[in-house]
Amino acid sequence: MNATIPDLTGKIAVVTGATGGMGQFIAADLVRAGAHMVTVARDPARADALRARIGSPAASRLDVIAGDLSRRADIVAAAKTIVDRYDQIHILINNAGAHFSEHRVSADGIEMHIALDYLAAYGLTTLLDVPLRRGHARVVNVASDTLNDTRQIKLAGKPRPATLDLSGIGDLADLNPAAGFAPFEAYARAKLMTVTAGYALARDLAADGVTINALHPGIVATDIIDDLVPPLLRPVGTLIRRGMLTPAEGATSATRLATDPEIAALTGRYFNRDKESTTPPVSHDLTTQQRLLILSKAHFAC
């Protein structure tokens, strides 16, 4: 058990992306602190590995729901299963994410960064609305500080924040098109969308004691890093990874934001590890926030 996590006996925690990378450490720490853990996994074999990491008898408090979080139907089905099984949810950590080096679209025709890095978090947060409100839940969206600077090599010049222009956008399928596709910028835009929607949802849920905050956990040596390292630096990739946080170290920032009693009342914030930080002005633009919510709601109404 992570000594910094309070006793979570009787609490229900939902964590996505819990079968690999940083997510398995988040899940294991919460379960060992007493929480009953729910996760959505595309690959049952990886869920077995998570159970082994947690160890018995704590692994008996792990509930694995089959599903691919890049697919709208699977998100809806997983949320329904969770709502049917659990009256309250106390913690939701939207940790699932990936970087795609080539343009790909989901089964629903949505660019994959938007589908997995944004819509999975938005979908679960909104579809689990009732149990989240009942549990006065703490929601943590794992983002990336690439939203503040999309340059892969930051040796000179000013930061180049991710952009989000929704004017003229009638469907989320219009975002991150194949023409002019830049993988790193597409990834950063999806993370910016998660933070932007989170600010709006935080205001809506605050009346019922639900908090929503976003987190950049630091530069963590996970599989995503292999894709994010620029080609020129890949020959020294092993050395670069040695200077990064381990997945276990990255997990501590997420579990702290989800459980620390001293920050329980904070909502609508963005943290770079344990320090509150800022996000691009567009993320605070009310018109952009509302347009994004309208487009996202329409996606799940299809």
Side-chain angles (χ1 to χ4, degrees):
M1 173 178 169
N2 187 327
T4 64
I5 301 177
D7 183 9
L8 299 178
T9 301
K11 304 295 185 182
I12 306 299
V14 178
V15 178
T16 65
T19 59
M22 193 175 77
Q24 62 184 312
F25 292 94
I26 295 172
D29 282 348
L30 294 179
V31 171
R32 290 168 185 162
H36 183 93
M37 174 66 55
V38 185
T39 192
V40 181
R42 186 181 59 203
D43 184 351
R46 297 187 73 179
D48 290 340
L50 175 60
R51 288 191 179 92
R53 173 175 291 281
I54 293 172
S56 59
S60 64
R61 297 195 303 277
L62 176 64
D63 182 5
V64 179
I65 297 170
D68 180 345
L69 290 175
S70 73
R71 300 171 61 96
R72 176 177 56 227
D74 284 20
I75 296 171
V76 172
K80 184 179 185 304
T81 299
I82 295 170
V83 170
D84 288 345
R85 291 180 185 176
Y86 303 99
D87 182 65
Q88 298 182 4
I89 296 171
H90 305 95
I91 295 170
L92 169 60
I93 301 181
N94 290 307
N95 170 68
H99 176 268
F100 302 92
S101 57
E102 297 179 351
H103 188 270
R104 293 173 53 187
V105 296
S106 71
D108 307 304
I110 305 293
E111 192 275 322
M112 282 293 288
H113 289 104
I114 306 294
L116 183 58
D117 294 319
Y118 167 60
L119 282 171
Y122 168 85
L124 284 180
T125 302
T126 54
L127 294 169
L128 297 177
D129 178 271
V130 172
L132 289 172
R133 290 180 189 269
R134 287 174 179 162
H136 308 298
R138 294 171 69 166
V139 179
V140 176
N141 292 322
V142 177
S144 165
D145 210 51
T146 55
L147 58 84
N148 277 316
D149 191 355
T150 61
R151 296 174 302 155
Q152 288 184 274
I153 301 177
K154 302 174 175 59
L155 298 179
K158 296 180 180 180
R160 189 172 63 231
T163 60
L164 182 60
D165 183 1
L166 299 179
S167 59
I169 298 295
D171 190 291
L172 290 178
D174 298 334
L175 290 173
N176 289 353
F181 182 72
F184 197 69
E185 292 179 14
Y187 171 77
R189 180 171 296 110
K191 294 298 188 179
L192 175 62
M193 292 168 69
T194 298
V195 172
T196 301
Y199 290 149
L201 293 173
R203 292 194 301 272
D204 177 56
L205 292 167
D208 288 303
V210 177
T211 64
I212 301 181
N213 294 292
L215 167 75
H216 168 60
I219 306 299
V220 181
T222 64
D223 291 343
I224 289 179
I225 290 299
D226 292 333
D227 281 334
L228 293 180
V229 172
L232 289 174
L233 298 180
R234 285 176 186 167
V236 292
T238 300
L239 292 176
I240 292 174
R241 289 176 71 96
R242 288 176 183 171
M244 297 176 182
L245 299 173
T246 66
E249 290 170 332
T252 60
S253 295
T255 55
R256 173 182 175 270
L257 194 53
T259 65
D260 187 344
E262 294 187 2
I263 55 175
L266 293 182
T267 192
R269 312 293 180 88
Y270 172 74
F271 289 82
N272 188 327
R273 296 209 71 196
D274 294 333
K275 183 178 180 181
E276 189 173 342
S277 189
T278 59
T279 54
V282 68
S283 65
H284 299 283
D285 180 73
L286 297 182
T287 300
T288 300
Q289 290 177 5
Q290 292 308 309
R291 181 60 184 159
L292 179 57
L293 293 188
I294 289 170
L295 291 168
S296 305
K297 185 176 180 179
H299 173 77
F300 284 97
C302 295

mmCIF file of all heavy atoms in Angstrom, residues 67-108:
data_model
loop_
_atom_site.group_PDB
_atom_site.id
_atom_site.type_symbol
_atom_site.label_atom_id
_atom_site.label_comp_id
_atom_site.label_asym_id
_atom_site.label_seq_id
_atom_site.Cartn_x
_atom_site.Cartn_y
_atom_site.Cartn_z
ATOM 1 N N GLY A 67 -13.886 -4.317 -22.997
ATOM 2 C CA GLY A 67 -14.280 -3.229 -23.880
ATOM 3 C C GLY A 67 -13.095 -2.515 -24.488
ATOM 4 O O GLY A 67 -12.000 -2.496 -23.908
ATOM 5 N N ASP A 68 -13.318 -1.942 -25.654
ATOM 6 C CA ASP A 68 -12.325 -1.146 -26.366
ATOM 7 C C ASP A 68 -12.759 0.313 -26.254
ATOM 8 O O ASP A 68 -13.768 0.717 -26.844
ATOM 9 C CB ASP A 68 -12.273 -1.594 -27.826
ATOM 10 C CG ASP A 68 -11.260 -0.822 -28.663
ATOM 11 O OD1 ASP A 68 -10.799 0.244 -28.209
ATOM 12 O OD2 ASP A 68 -10.951 -1.273 -29.781
ATOM 13 N N LEU A 69 -12.004 1.112 -25.513
ATOM 14 C CA LEU A 69 -12.411 2.492 -25.236
ATOM 15 C C LEU A 69 -12.250 3.445 -26.411
ATOM 16 O O LEU A 69 -12.564 4.626 -26.282
ATOM 17 C CB LEU A 69 -11.646 3.015 -24.018
ATOM 18 C CG LEU A 69 -12.056 2.381 -22.680
ATOM 19 C CD1 LEU A 69 -11.157 2.891 -21.555
ATOM 20 C CD2 LEU A 69 -13.516 2.672 -22.364
ATOM 21 N N SER A 70 -11.811 2.946 -27.554
ATOM 22 C CA SER A 70 -11.807 3.787 -28.751
ATOM 23 C C SER A 70 -13.134 3.665 -29.498
ATOM 24 O O SER A 70 -13.372 4.387 -30.468
ATOM 25 C CB SER A 70 -10.658 3.406 -29.690
ATOM 26 O OG SER A 70 -10.920 2.164 -30.341
ATOM 27 N N ARG A 71 -14.012 2.772 -29.052
ATOM 28 C CA ARG A 71 -15.282 2.519 -29.713
ATOM 29 C C ARG A 71 -16.441 3.075 -28.888
ATOM 30 O O ARG A 71 -16.556 2.784 -27.701
ATOM 31 C CB ARG A 71 -15.502 1.014 -29.919
ATOM 32 C CG ARG A 71 -14.436 0.341 -30.771
ATOM 33 C CD ARG A 71 -14.602 -1.178 -30.740
ATOM 34 N NE ARG A 71 -15.889 -1.568 -31.284
ATOM 35 C CZ ARG A 71 -16.088 -1.952 -32.543
ATOM 36 N NH1 ARG A 71 -15.066 -2.010 -33.380
ATOM 37 N NH2 ARG A 71 -17.285 -2.293 -32.971
ATOM 38 N N ARG A 72 -17.288 3.856 -29.533
ATOM 39 C CA ARG A 72 -18.441 4.439 -28.846
ATOM 40 C C ARG A 72 -19.313 3.369 -28.204
ATOM 41 O O ARG A 72 -19.709 3.494 -27.034
ATOM 42 C CB ARG A 72 -19.260 5.261 -29.843
ATOM 43 C CG ARG A 72 -20.557 5.840 -29.263
ATOM 44 C CD ARG A 72 -21.283 6.704 -30.279
ATOM 45 N NE ARG A 72 -21.553 5.961 -31.497
ATOM 46 C CZ ARG A 72 -21.318 6.422 -32.729
ATOM 47 N NH1 ARG A 72 -20.811 7.621 -32.904
ATOM 48 N NH2 ARG A 72 -21.598 5.691 -33.796
ATOM 49 N N ALA A 73 -19.631 2.311 -28.932
ATOM 50 C CA ALA A 73 -20.519 1.276 -28.406
ATOM 51 C C ALA A 73 -19.941 0.621 -27.155
ATOM 52 O O ALA A 73 -20.675 0.316 -26.206
ATOM 53 C CB ALA A 73 -20.791 0.219 -29.483
ATOM 54 N N ASP A 74 -18.630 0.418 -27.132
ATOM 55 C CA ASP A 74 -17.999 -0.219 -25.977
ATOM 56 C C ASP A 74 -17.980 0.709 -24.764
ATOM 57 O O ASP A 74 -18.137 0.257 -23.619
ATOM 58 C CB ASP A 74 -16.572 -0.653 -26.325
ATOM 59 C CG ASP A 74 -16.542 -1.903 -27.194
ATOM 60 O OD1 ASP A 74 -17.577 -2.201 -27.833
ATOM 61 O OD2 ASP A 74 -15.494 -2.573 -27.254
ATOM 62 N N ILE A 75 -17.786 2.002 -25.006
ATOM 63 C CA ILE A 75 -17.833 2.971 -23.906
ATOM 64 C C ILE A 75 -19.224 2.987 -23.289
ATOM 65 O O ILE A 75 -19.383 2.929 -22.058
ATOM 66 C CB ILE A 75 -17.448 4.380 -24.390
ATOM 67 C CG1 ILE A 75 -15.991 4.413 -24.864
ATOM 68 C CG2 ILE A 75 -17.666 5.418 -23.283
ATOM 69 C CD1 ILE A 75 -15.610 5.706 -25.564
ATOM 70 N N VAL A 76 -20.244 3.036 -24.143
ATOM 71 C CA VAL A 76 -21.628 3.061 -23.662
ATOM 72 C C VAL A 76 -21.962 1.775 -22.907
ATOM 73 O O VAL A 76 -22.565 1.815 -21.821
ATOM 74 C CB VAL A 76 -22.602 3.265 -24.836
ATOM 75 C CG1 VAL A 76 -24.048 3.109 -24.377
ATOM 76 C CG2 VAL A 76 -22.395 4.641 -25.464
ATOM 77 N N ALA A 77 -21.547 0.638 -23.454
ATOM 78 C CA ALA A 77 -21.837 -0.648 -22.807
ATOM 79 C C ALA A 77 -21.113 -0.776 -21.469
ATOM 80 O O ALA A 77 -21.689 -1.249 -20.484
ATOM 81 C CB ALA A 77 -21.445 -1.799 -23.734
ATOM 82 N N ALA A 78 -19.853 -0.353 -21.425
ATOM 83 C CA ALA A 78 -19.092 -0.429 -20.177
ATOM 84 C C ALA A 78 -19.711 0.460 -19.116
ATOM 85 O O ALA A 78 -19.846 0.061 -17.952
ATOM 86 C CB ALA A 78 -17.643 -0.028 -20.423
ATOM 87 N N ALA A 79 -20.104 1.670 -19.505
ATOM 88 C CA ALA A 79 -20.730 2.589 -18.553
ATOM 89 C C ALA A 79 -22.031 2.015 -18.012
ATOM 90 O O ALA A 79 -22.322 2.113 -16.813
ATOM 91 C CB ALA A 79 -20.970 3.941 -19.217
ATOM 92 N N LYS A 80 -22.827 1.391 -18.886
ATOM 93 C CA LYS A 80 -24.089 0.795 -18.436
ATOM 94 C C LYS A 80 -23.834 -0.325 -17.436
ATOM 95 O O LYS A 80 -24.528 -0.438 -16.414
ATOM 96 C CB LYS A 80 -24.879 0.255 -19.626
ATOM 97 C CG LYS A 80 -26.253 -0.299 -19.234
ATOM 98 C CD LYS A 80 -27.019 -0.802 -20.434
ATOM 99 C CE LYS A 80 -28.434 -1.239 -20.019
ATOM 100 N NZ LYS A 80 -28.434 -2.249 -18.944
ATOM 101 N N THR A 81 -22.825 -1.142 -17.715
ATOM 102 C CA THR A 81 -22.484 -2.225 -16.790
ATOM 103 C C THR A 81 -22.078 -1.672 -15.435
ATOM 104 O O THR A 81 -22.496 -2.178 -14.384
ATOM 105 C CB THR A 81 -21.345 -3.081 -17.373
ATOM 106 O OG1 THR A 81 -21.774 -3.659 -18.606
ATOM 107 C CG2 THR A 81 -20.949 -4.195 -16.408
ATOM 108 N N ILE A 82 -21.268 -0.623 -15.448
ATOM 109 C CA ILE A 82 -20.822 -0.024 -14.185
ATOM 110 C C ILE A 82 -22.006 0.563 -13.425
ATOM 111 O O ILE A 82 -22.142 0.357 -12.206
ATOM 112 C CB ILE A 82 -19.750 1.059 -14.456
ATOM 113 C CG1 ILE A 82 -18.488 0.412 -15.039
ATOM 114 C CG2 ILE A 82 -19.408 1.816 -13.167
ATOM 115 C CD1 ILE A 82 -17.464 1.414 -15.558
ATOM 116 N N VAL A 83 -22.877 1.281 -14.122
ATOM 117 C CA VAL A 83 -24.057 1.877 -13.471
ATOM 118 C C VAL A 83 -24.951 0.796 -12.881
ATOM 119 O O VAL A 83 -25.500 0.955 -11.777
ATOM 120 C CB VAL A 83 -24.839 2.742 -14.481
ATOM 121 C CG1 VAL A 83 -26.188 3.161 -13.906
ATOM 122 C CG2 VAL A 83 -24.036 3.978 -14.862
ATOM 123 N N ASP A 84 -25.102 -0.311 -13.595
ATOM 124 C CA ASP A 84 -25.946 -1.405 -13.105
ATOM 125 C C ASP A 84 -25.354 -2.071 -11.859
ATOM 126 O O ASP A 84 -26.097 -2.555 -10.996
ATOM 127 C CB ASP A 84 -26.138 -2.463 -14.197
ATOM 128 C CG ASP A 84 -27.046 -1.985 -15.326
ATOM 129 O OD1 ASP A 84 -27.752 -0.970 -15.127
ATOM 130 O OD2 ASP A 84 -27.032 -2.611 -16.404
ATOM 131 N N ARG A 85 -24.040 -2.103 -11.761
ATOM 132 C CA ARG A 85 -23.384 -2.814 -10.656
ATOM 133 C C ARG A 85 -23.114 -1.927 -9.437
ATOM 134 O O ARG A 85 -23.052 -2.432 -8.314
ATOM 135 C CB ARG A 85 -22.050 -3.405 -11.137
ATOM 136 C CG ARG A 85 -22.199 -4.539 -12.131
ATOM 137 C CD ARG A 85 -20.841 -5.077 -12.554
ATOM 138 N NE ARG A 85 -20.981 -6.086 -13.601
ATOM 139 C CZ ARG A 85 -19.956 -6.673 -14.214
ATOM 140 N NH1 ARG A 85 -18.696 -6.346 -13.877
ATOM 141 N NH2 ARG A 85 -20.161 -7.585 -15.158
ATOM 142 N N TYR A 86 -22.930 -0.631 -9.665
ATOM 143 C CA TYR A 86 -22.481 0.237 -8.576
ATOM 144 C C TYR A 86 -23.382 1.454 -8.436
ATOM 145 O O TYR A 86 -23.551 2.224 -9.376
ATOM 146 C CB TYR A 86 -21.025 0.667 -8.800
ATOM 147 C CG TYR A 86 -20.098 -0.513 -8.938
ATOM 148 C CD1 TYR A 86 -19.701 -0.955 -10.197
ATOM 149 C CD2 TYR A 86 -19.676 -1.226 -7.816
ATOM 150 C CE1 TYR A 86 -18.873 -2.065 -10.341
ATOM 151 C CE2 TYR A 86 -18.849 -2.339 -7.948
ATOM 152 C CZ TYR A 86 -18.458 -2.756 -9.211
ATOM 153 O OH TYR A 86 -17.660 -3.865 -9.345
ATOM 154 N N ASP A 87 -23.906 1.636 -7.257
ATOM 155 C CA ASP A 87 -24.794 2.758 -6.975
ATOM 156 C C ASP A 87 -24.012 4.065 -6.871
ATOM 157 O O ASP A 87 -24.523 5.128 -7.223
ATOM 158 C CB ASP A 87 -25.552 2.494 -5.664
ATOM 159 C CG ASP A 87 -26.540 3.601 -5.337
ATOM 160 O OD1 ASP A 87 -27.495 3.768 -6.115
ATOM 161 O OD2 ASP A 87 -26.345 4.292 -4.320
ATOM 162 N N GLN A 88 -22.779 3.965 -6.376
ATOM 163 C CA GLN A 88 -21.939 5.139 -6.208
ATOM 164 C C GLN A 88 -20.547 4.879 -6.762
ATOM 165 O O GLN A 88 -20.062 3.743 -6.737
ATOM 166 C CB GLN A 88 -21.808 5.518 -4.725
ATOM 167 C CG GLN A 88 -23.100 5.898 -4.040
ATOM 168 C CD GLN A 88 -22.867 6.302 -2.585
ATOM 169 O OE1 GLN A 88 -21.734 6.375 -2.109
ATOM 170 N NE2 GLN A 88 -23.951 6.584 -1.881
ATOM 171 N N ILE A 89 -19.914 5.932 -7.250
ATOM 172 C CA ILE A 89 -18.497 5.888 -7.623
ATOM 173 C C ILE A 89 -17.817 7.029 -6.889
ATOM 174 O O ILE A 89 -18.300 8.165 -6.896
ATOM 175 C CB ILE A 89 -18.307 6.051 -9.145
ATOM 176 C CG1 ILE A 89 -18.938 4.883 -9.886
ATOM 177 C CG2 ILE A 89 -16.817 6.158 -9.489
ATOM 178 C CD1 ILE A 89 -18.984 5.068 -11.386
ATOM 179 N N HIS A 90 -16.693 6.741 -6.259
ATOM 180 C CA HIS A 90 -16.003 7.742 -5.447
ATOM 181 C C HIS A 90 -14.760 8.315 -6.130
ATOM 182 O O HIS A 90 -14.343 9.429 -5.821
ATOM 183 C CB HIS A 90 -15.627 7.133 -4.089
ATOM 184 C CG HIS A 90 -16.810 6.561 -3.365
ATOM 185 N ND1 HIS A 90 -17.162 5.219 -3.446
ATOM 186 C CD2 HIS A 90 -17.745 7.153 -2.589
ATOM 187 C CE1 HIS A 90 -18.253 5.012 -2.724
ATOM 188 N NE2 HIS A 90 -18.621 6.164 -2.196
ATOM 189 N N ILE A 91 -14.177 7.524 -7.041
ATOM 190 C CA ILE A 91 -12.979 7.965 -7.761
ATOM 191 C C ILE A 91 -13.102 7.518 -9.211
ATOM 192 O O ILE A 91 -13.452 6.362 -9.487
ATOM 193 C CB ILE A 91 -11.697 7.353 -7.153
ATOM 194 C CG1 ILE A 91 -11.462 7.865 -5.728
ATOM 195 C CG2 ILE A 91 -10.481 7.649 -8.032
ATOM 196 C CD1 ILE A 91 -10.351 7.119 -4.995
ATOM 197 N N LEU A 92 -12.831 8.429 -10.139
ATOM 198 C CA LEU A 92 -12.725 8.081 -11.557
ATOM 199 C C LEU A 92 -11.430 8.682 -12.082
ATOM 200 O O LEU A 92 -11.256 9.904 -12.054
ATOM 201 C CB LEU A 92 -13.920 8.627 -12.350
ATOM 202 C CG LEU A 92 -13.812 8.560 -13.885
ATOM 203 C CD1 LEU A 92 -13.650 7.126 -14.374
ATOM 204 C CD2 LEU A 92 -15.016 9.228 -14.547
ATOM 205 N N ILE A 93 -10.522 7.827 -12.517
ATOM 206 C CA ILE A 93 -9.269 8.302 -13.111
ATOM 207 C C ILE A 93 -9.259 7.885 -14.574
ATOM 208 O O ILE A 93 -9.144 6.700 -14.906
ATOM 209 C CB ILE A 93 -8.031 7.746 -12.374
ATOM 210 C CG1 ILE A 93 -8.057 8.173 -10.901
ATOM 211 C CG2 ILE A 93 -6.746 8.243 -13.048
ATOM 212 C CD1 ILE A 93 -6.874 7.691 -10.079
ATOM 213 N N ASN A 94 -9.418 8.872 -15.451
ATOM 214 C CA ASN A 94 -9.398 8.635 -16.891
ATOM 215 C C ASN A 94 -7.948 8.666 -17.357
ATOM 216 O O ASN A 94 -7.411 9.727 -17.685
ATOM 217 C CB ASN A 94 -10.238 9.706 -17.606
ATOM 218 C CG ASN A 94 -11.723 9.542 -17.346
ATOM 219 O OD1 ASN A 94 -12.286 8.468 -17.556
ATOM 220 N ND2 ASN A 94 -12.365 10.605 -16.895
ATOM 221 N N ASN A 95 -7.338 7.498 -17.361
ATOM 222 C CA ASN A 95 -5.915 7.386 -17.631
ATOM 223 C C ASN A 95 -5.620 6.796 -19.014
ATOM 224 O O ASN A 95 -4.511 6.933 -19.520
ATOM 225 C CB ASN A 95 -5.263 6.514 -16.544
ATOM 226 C CG ASN A 95 -3.840 6.131 -16.856
ATOM 227 O OD1 ASN A 95 -2.945 6.971 -16.866
ATOM 228 N ND2 ASN A 95 -3.618 4.854 -17.145
ATOM 229 N N ALA A 96 -6.599 6.144 -19.639
ATOM 230 C CA ALA A 96 -6.361 5.490 -20.926
ATOM 231 C C ALA A 96 -5.924 6.500 -21.980
ATOM 232 O O ALA A 96 -6.474 7.599 -22.069
ATOM 233 C CB ALA A 96 -7.626 4.771 -21.388
ATOM 234 N N GLY A 97 -4.951 6.118 -22.770
ATOM 235 C CA GLY A 97 -4.480 7.005 -23.826
ATOM 236 C C GLY A 97 -3.392 6.341 -24.651
ATOM 237 O O GLY A 97 -2.802 5.336 -24.236
ATOM 238 N N ALA A 98 -3.146 6.896 -25.808
ATOM 239 C CA ALA A 98 -2.102 6.365 -26.686
ATOM 240 C C ALA A 98 -1.696 7.436 -27.682
ATOM 241 O O ALA A 98 -2.415 8.416 -27.897
ATOM 242 C CB ALA A 98 -2.608 5.119 -27.425
ATOM 243 N N HIS A 99 -0.515 7.236 -28.269
ATOM 244 C CA HIS A 99 -0.039 8.101 -29.347
ATOM 245 C C HIS A 99 0.053 7.250 -30.603
ATOM 246 O O HIS A 99 0.553 6.126 -30.563
ATOM 247 C CB HIS A 99 1.326 8.690 -29.005
ATOM 248 C CG HIS A 99 1.913 9.511 -30.110
ATOM 249 N ND1 HIS A 99 2.758 8.988 -31.060
ATOM 250 C CD2 HIS A 99 1.746 10.821 -30.431
ATOM 251 C CE1 HIS A 99 3.111 9.946 -31.911
ATOM 252 N NE2 HIS A 99 2.513 11.058 -31.557
ATOM 253 N N PHE A 100 -0.452 7.772 -31.709
ATOM 254 C CA PHE A 100 -0.464 7.046 -32.964
ATOM 255 C C PHE A 100 0.400 7.786 -33.978
ATOM 256 O O PHE A 100 0.159 8.956 -34.277
ATOM 257 C CB PHE A 100 -1.903 6.902 -33.481
ATOM 258 C CG PHE A 100 -2.817 6.212 -32.508
ATOM 259 C CD1 PHE A 100 -3.564 6.953 -31.593
ATOM 260 C CD2 PHE A 100 -2.901 4.826 -32.481
ATOM 261 C CE1 PHE A 100 -4.387 6.321 -30.679
ATOM 262 C CE2 PHE A 100 -3.725 4.188 -31.570
ATOM 263 C CZ PHE A 100 -4.471 4.926 -30.662
ATOM 264 N N SER A 101 1.411 7.096 -34.486
ATOM 265 C CA SER A 101 2.382 7.754 -35.368
ATOM 266 C C SER A 101 1.853 7.957 -36.779
ATOM 267 O O SER A 101 2.437 8.715 -37.561
ATOM 268 C CB SER A 101 3.677 6.935 -35.422
ATOM 269 O OG SER A 101 3.411 5.610 -35.865
ATOM 270 N N GLU A 102 0.748 7.306 -37.129
ATOM 271 C CA GLU A 102 0.138 7.477 -38.440
ATOM 272 C C GLU A 102 -1.342 7.799 -38.265
ATOM 273 O O GLU A 102 -1.942 7.488 -37.234
ATOM 274 C CB GLU A 102 0.290 6.209 -39.283
ATOM 275 C CG GLU A 102 1.744 5.853 -39.587
ATOM 276 C CD GLU A 102 1.849 4.579 -40.414
ATOM 277 O OE1 GLU A 102 0.806 3.899 -40.591
ATOM 278 O OE2 GLU A 102 2.954 4.263 -40.866
ATOM 279 N N HIS A 103 -1.936 8.410 -39.273
ATOM 280 C CA HIS A 103 -3.355 8.756 -39.199
ATOM 281 C C HIS A 103 -4.205 7.485 -39.219
ATOM 282 O O HIS A 103 -4.099 6.664 -40.121
ATOM 283 C CB HIS A 103 -3.749 9.662 -40.369
ATOM 284 C CG HIS A 103 -5.141 10.208 -40.246
ATOM 285 N ND1 HIS A 103 -6.250 9.565 -40.755
ATOM 286 C CD2 HIS A 103 -5.603 11.339 -39.636
ATOM 287 C CE1 HIS A 103 -7.331 10.267 -40.486
ATOM 288 N NE2 HIS A 103 -6.964 11.346 -39.802
ATOM 289 N N ARG A 104 -5.020 7.340 -38.189
ATOM 290 C CA ARG A 104 -5.932 6.198 -38.094
ATOM 291 C C ARG A 104 -7.279 6.701 -37.619
ATOM 292 O O ARG A 104 -7.355 7.703 -36.900
ATOM 293 C CB ARG A 104 -5.402 5.153 -37.089
ATOM 294 C CG ARG A 104 -4.124 4.453 -37.509
ATOM 295 C CD ARG A 104 -3.589 3.581 -36.389
ATOM 296 N NE ARG A 104 -4.600 2.659 -35.885
ATOM 297 C CZ ARG A 104 -4.439 1.864 -34.816
ATOM 298 N NH1 ARG A 104 -3.300 1.918 -34.136
ATOM 299 N NH2 ARG A 104 -5.397 1.057 -34.431
ATOM 300 N N VAL A 105 -8.324 6.000 -38.008
ATOM 301 C CA VAL A 105 -9.654 6.358 -37.530
ATOM 302 C C VAL A 105 -10.242 5.173 -36.776
ATOM 303 O O VAL A 105 -9.916 4.011 -37.044
ATOM 304 C CB VAL A 105 -10.600 6.792 -38.672
ATOM 305 C CG1 VAL A 105 -10.102 8.058 -39.332
ATOM 306 C CG2 VAL A 105 -10.767 5.672 -39.695
ATOM 307 N N SER A 106 -11.120 5.483 -35.831
ATOM 308 C CA SER A 106 -11.774 4.454 -35.031
ATOM 309 C C SER A 106 -12.892 3.786 -35.825
ATOM 310 O O SER A 106 -13.201 4.172 -36.958
ATOM 311 C CB SER A 106 -12.359 5.085 -33.767
ATOM 312 O OG SER A 106 -13.484 5.890 -34.100
ATOM 313 N N ALA A 107 -13.517 2.810 -35.214
ATOM 314 C CA ALA A 107 -14.656 2.143 -35.849
ATOM 315 C C ALA A 107 -15.791 3.116 -36.113
ATOM 316 O O ALA A 107 -16.648 2.864 -36.968
ATOM 317 C CB ALA A 107 -15.139 0.996 -34.952
ATOM 318 N N ASP A 108 -15.797 4.232 -35.413
ATOM 319 C CA ASP A 108 -16.848 5.238 -35.572
ATOM 320 C C ASP A 108 -16.444 6.364 -36.520
ATOM 321 O O ASP A 108 -17.165 7.360 -36.649
ATOM 322 C CB ASP A 108 -17.203 5.835 -34.207
ATOM 323 C CG ASP A 108 -17.541 4.759 -33.196
ATOM 324 O OD1 ASP A 108 -18.448 3.953 -33.475
ATOM 325 O OD2 ASP A 108 -16.899 4.712 -32.127
#
